Amino acid sequence: MKRLFYLLFSAFILVLLTSCSPKKETEKLICAEAEMTSFPYSAGGLKVTKHQTVTHVEGVEGLEVIETYFVNEGKPVTVKAYELCRTQIRPREDVVWSLQPSSTAYRLDWVLPVEPGFEKQNYLGMNNTDYGGGIPMVDLWERDGGVAIGLFEPALRMISMPVEWKRYDDKVTMALRYDLPEPMELGTGETLQCFKAFRLKHKGDYFNALRVFSEYMQANENIVLPPSEPEAFEPVWCAWGYERTFTMDEIIGTLDKVSELGFRWVDVDDGYQIAEGDWNTNERFPGGDADMRRITDEIHKRGLKAKLWWAPLAADPGTQILKDHPEMLLRTAGDAPEFITWWDSWYLSPVSKVTDAYTKDLLQMFLQRWNFDGLKIDGQHVNCCMPDYGLSAAVKDPLEAPEQMPSYFAKVYQQAREYKENAVIQICPCGCAVNYFLLPNFNQAVASDPESSLQVRLKRKAYAAMAPGLAYYGDHVELTDGGDDFASQIGTGSVIGSKFTWPEDNPDVTDGPFVLTQEKEALIRKWMKIYKENDLARGEYLNLYTWGFDYPEGHVIRKNDALYYAFYADAYDGRIEIRGLDPDAEYTAVEYTADEPRSFTVKGSDPYIEASFLKNYLIKVTKND
């Protein structure tokens, strides 16, 4: 019915949607909805009835699945927008913490404090030329729990999830809003079916809300998360330290040191190609396929695995592929190509059969002719796209292109695994809050160009909630605070990595140095030993500490019969509660990352310790016999 199911309603419906009665002033939640309701609205010849069903999911405390539709029983009305799940809380403190996983060029933390004056729209479509997509859920929490709202839909919908705390108000508000690109009439007798939404009251922080959201999606919306290959948990060395002007000799000359230090993956990064789009080798590889095969042969000769960097769906102006197949370009409503600012490229249509055929040939070259073992798929543009009005787009409605975009990466994943059965596929939506619907299409997540150690840790917690068991690569350690924070990677159960250069930096690298000094080598050797002995990347993340309210920041990994606690703060001196212990047992705690490890006893009946540290404090806790 001309996409009537996803249209936006006129202002009076917005008022209707947001006019639920307040509860008692003593209760934090102000807005709540009944099990089954009908709200008629009549004024000036308009007659619209809102019908809503709220389903409580058995076995999931606090979850309400909300299905809403409107019936127009009066004269035609102009459809502009509709809003769902407007929810308010009265904060008990000066700050409320939030999960707001949308994507913009600012590359904000996914987790943010909300204070008076805060406002963020959280639009899940394209917010900048390269940035869009995210997770269709927002969450607000305090010390004793929180409330999340979002969508249970089979694809990413281009909604906004506004969160605000007005300075003159004592309430924080969030909602789900869908805005139609163009107004449309809803005729007499027609029905407007809204997106399926949810509200979740939960304990703890965003981890618990994301876990419920993802488990529901897997059970009800055909989301299937692939298991990670065992090799996806192995440490990574990336040639990006040499940047785009790397040479074959630089990579091959570093391999013995890579192997000696314990890294098992070698990522050949950006710079081998003629251009984005023309992915054959450039003039630095005059032997073409033979030169790339020489690199992978040398990698494999040392018992290592090889992963290749690739920015799919990007093609530079003037490339041969665009001369041969201009129909692959994604076209906007004005018939202009969509520009990718970061790569100075044009966007290829993710819903074109021509793009599919082109991609299949590329994967055959990467994984068979060149013999790579996996792919490092890179770029913030892979997270979302604009509507596609191009003639080659295999969709009925241009608006379906961003919704169906993950299906392109599903084909990439499936085809890659056909070419190389155990291929490790990483998707790095650089700086973006990952498009949730990409999760079924890779078996190694990544911190995706983190701008701080904090981002490494908060993203790890989010992925652990949504996809338990998924390998999570903490990215190059050089991107963490100080460029050496292996503790933030290991303590949270992340795969470690480095982009060191050896024996010297590439002279064209401007943001180094990454050279492997004696001090850096000693640091890598120390943390590599810790990483391999404890193997926390394969452990189970336990959510025992509330982000924003427990200090110092705490993370727990369960591996075999031990609990590994990691605490982070700029500086800390005081008492820490060791949660999750049996009150009837005694435990031995070991400072397993210290140069001189100290051990001590912790009682489950009195689970507190005194600790003094700078930046991090990691302990292994095991129950005494």
Side-chain angles (χ1 to χ4, degrees):
M1 193 187 294
K2 299 180 182 178
R3 287 183 71 86
L4 276 178
F5 285 174
Y6 307 125
L7 302 183
L8 302 179
F9 222 52
S10 53
F12 73 87
I13 287 185
L14 286 174
V15 172
L16 221 170
L17 274 167
T18 60
S19 61
C20 43
S21 302
K23 288 185 162 188
K24 296 179 181 178
E25 290 295 315
T26 55
E27 292 189 41
K28 285 181 21 177
L29 281 179
I30 294 177
C31 186
E33 292 168 299
E35 280 290 319
M36 300 179 65
T37 55
S38 293
F39 296 102
Y41 178 86
S42 300
L46 301 178
K47 187 178 180 182
V48 177
T49 300
K50 169 190 170 185
H51 301 267
Q52 189 167 82
T53 300
V54 178
T55 303
H56 297 263
V57 179
E58 185 177 354
V60 186
E61 183 179 357
L63 178 61
E64 299 174 335
V65 180
I66 301 168
E67 297 177 90
T68 305
Y69 67 94
F70 294 89
V71 178
N72 182 18
E73 300 169 347
K75 65 182 183 180
V77 295
T78 300
V79 176
K80 294 181 179 179
Y82 69 72
E83 186 178 86
L84 299 170
C85 293
R86 175 166 285 264
T87 302
Q88 297 174 320
I89 70 170
R90 293 185 183 276
R92 296 176 180 175
E93 301 186 43
D94 295 334
V95 62
V96 175
W97 281 86
S98 67
L99 173 73
Q100 301 187 58
S102 60
S103 304
T104 72
Y106 293 107
R107 298 192 174 196
L108 297 177
D109 295 345
W110 304 4
V111 177
L112 295 167
V114 175
E115 300 172 302
F118 182 96
E119 182 177 356
K120 191 167 182 282
Q121 288 302 304
N122 293 303
Y123 176 54
L124 292 182
M126 296 300 289
N127 290 296
N128 305 101
T129 54
D130 303 15
Y131 293 85
I135 304 168
M137 186 193 91
V138 287
D139 188 20
L140 299 171
W141 68 90
E142 296 186 277
R143 291 181 187 275
D144 56 351
V147 58
I149 60 172
L151 295 185
F152 284 148
E153 286 283 314
L156 187 71
R157 308 304 188 190
M158 304 297 104
I159 62 166
S160 297
M161 306 181 294
V163 176
E164 63 179 356
W165 187 349
K166 298 184 184 299
R167 292 188 183 278
Y168 58 81
D169 205 346
D170 63 349
K171 297 181 289 292
V172 183
T173 302
M174 60 181 172
L176 308 174
R177 179 186 172 99
Y178 185 76
D179 287 276
L180 188 67
E182 296 180 1
M184 188 173 181
E185 271 199 354
L186 186 68
T188 303
E190 290 189 321
T191 296
L192 169 67
Q193 180 71 49
C194 303
F195 296 130
K196 183 164 69 173
F198 72 88
R199 182 183 288 115
L200 171 68
K201 300 178 189 177
H202 63 86
K203 298 178 181 178
D205 57 21
Y206 69 102
F207 178 98
N208 293 343
L210 280 175
R211 175 62 59 84
V212 171
F213 163 75
S214 191
E215 287 181 345
Y216 183 95
M217 293 293 288
Q218 292 173 66
N220 298 281
E221 297 297 343
N222 199 33
I223 296 295
V224 179
L225 304 182
S228 287
E229 288 291 330
E231 289 85 359
F233 297 93
E234 297 288 350
V236 178
W237 175 75
C238 183
W240 184 238
Y242 296 115
E243 294 204 351
R244 289 187 177 90
T245 54
F246 76 87
T247 66
M248 287 185 289
D249 289 341
E250 283 174 327
I251 292 180
I252 293 170
T254 312
L255 294 179
D256 287 339
K257 181 60 70 171
V258 168
S259 179
E260 176 191 336
L261 291 177
F263 295 96
R264 309 313 300 162
W265 278 95
V266 173
D267 286 3
V268 177
D269 215 290
D270 184 8
Y272 64 87
Q273 71 277 12
I274 296 171
E276 279 76 44
D278 289 347
W279 295 100
N280 295 93
T281 54
N282 58 33
E283 69 279 357
R284 296 200 316 282
F285 305 85
D289 288 355
D291 282 348
M292 288 302 276
R293 190 61 180 250
R294 177 188 166 205
I295 292 176
T296 55
D297 286 348
E298 291 291 338
I299 291 169
H300 294 148
K301 187 186 299 181
R302 292 161 175 81
L304 308 175
K305 295 279 189 177
K307 197 183 305 124
L308 183 67
W309 178 89
W310 175 41
L313 298 177
D316 296 345
T319 48
Q320 188 62 46
I321 190 62
L322 290 185
K323 292 176 183 177
D324 294 342
H325 295 287
E327 71 275 17
M328 277 201 297
L329 284 172
L330 186 152
R331 296 281 180 179
T332 65
D335 198 37
E338 182 184 355
F339 191 63
I340 304 172
T341 304
W342 190 265
W343 305 123
D344 294 325
S345 299
W346 299 122
Y347 207 120
L348 300 182
S349 172
V351 289
S352 166
K353 292 181 179 179
V354 184
T355 306
D356 288 342
Y358 157 74
T359 300
K360 183 177 180 180
D361 290 343
L362 287 178
L363 292 172
Q364 193 274 335
M365 179 173 71
F366 295 157
L367 299 171
Q368 292 191 326
R369 280 167 34 206
W370 293 357
N371 201 27
F372 280 89
D373 306 294
L375 298 171
K376 175 185 176 180
I377 294 174
D378 196 34
Q380 54 268 24
H381 69 288
V382 305
N383 217 41
C384 194
C385 68
M386 297 288 285
D388 187 0
Y389 293 81
L391 295 178
S392 73
V395 291
K396 296 180 180 179
D397 188 324
L399 296 176
E400 295 175 11
E403 296 177 355
Q404 294 186 18
M405 183 177 166
S407 66
Y408 169 82
F409 291 98
K411 286 177 274 193
V412 168
Y413 183 80
Q414 293 161 6
Q415 187 65 60
R417 303 273 289 180
E418 288 179 17
Y419 286 143
K420 194 65 66 80
E421 182 180 2
N422 303 113
V424 170
I425 307 301
Q426 175 193 116
I427 295 184
C428 177
C430 307
C432 292
V434 65
N435 180 341
Y436 176 79
F437 296 91
L438 288 176
L439 261 63
N441 308 322
F442 58 86
N443 53 20
Q444 186 183 64
V446 61
S448 60
D449 290 342
E451 298 191 340
S452 66
S453 294
L454 182 75
Q455 288 193 352
V456 173
R457 301 192 299 265
L458 68 85
K459 291 178 184 181
R460 161 57 176 153
K461 187 168 185 171
Y463 276 110
M466 294 185 292
L470 175 65
Y472 172 81
Y473 171 40
D475 221 320
H476 320 130
V477 74
E478 290 81 4
L479 292 170
T480 61
D481 298 346
D484 61 359
D485 190 6
F486 283 110
S488 278
Q489 297 184 336
I490 290 177
T492 56
S494 307
V495 176
I496 64 173
S498 175
K499 59 178 178 179
F500 73 82
T501 59
W502 186 82
E504 60 185 16
D505 282 326
N506 184 320
D508 296 318
V509 173
T510 58
D511 61 348
F514 305 122
V515 65
L516 186 66
T517 62
Q518 289 183 346
E519 294 78 12
K520 185 166 185 175
E521 181 170 342
L523 182 77
I524 291 175
R525 289 185 185 277
K526 170 190 171 176
W527 287 100
M528 185 67 72
K529 184 174 184 291
I530 292 169
Y531 180 83
K532 293 195 172 185
E533 285 179 348
N534 296 282
D535 198 24
L536 299 190
R538 301 177 207 264
E540 177 189 4
Y541 188 100
L542 303 180
N543 192 37
L544 302 182
Y545 296 92
T546 301
W547 190 284
F549 291 101
D550 284 324
Y551 185 76
E553 173 194 330
H555 302 262
V556 186
I557 303 294
R558 179 162 54 200
K559 184 72 186 339
N560 299 328
D561 59 349
L563 294 172
Y564 292 80
Y565 294 79
F567 300 99
Y568 303 93
D570 290 338
Y572 186 80
D573 187 2
R575 202 179 191 211
I576 299 177
E577 181 181 3
I578 306 302
R579 297 178 182 168
L581 303 184
D582 180 350
D584 298 323
E586 283 193 352
Y587 296 80
T588 296
V590 179
E591 298 169 340
Y592 70 100
T593 66
D595 293 335
E596 297 181 5
R598 180 176 67 98
S599 63
F600 51 92
T601 299
V602 180
K603 293 183 178 181
S605 59
D606 184 25
Y608 294 91
I609 64 171
E610 295 292 328
S612 180
F613 65 88
L614 298 176
K615 294 186 178 179
N616 60 77
Y617 182 66
L618 279 61
I619 59 173
K620 175 183 179 180
V621 178
T622 53
K623 185 184 289 188
N624 297 338
D625 294 334

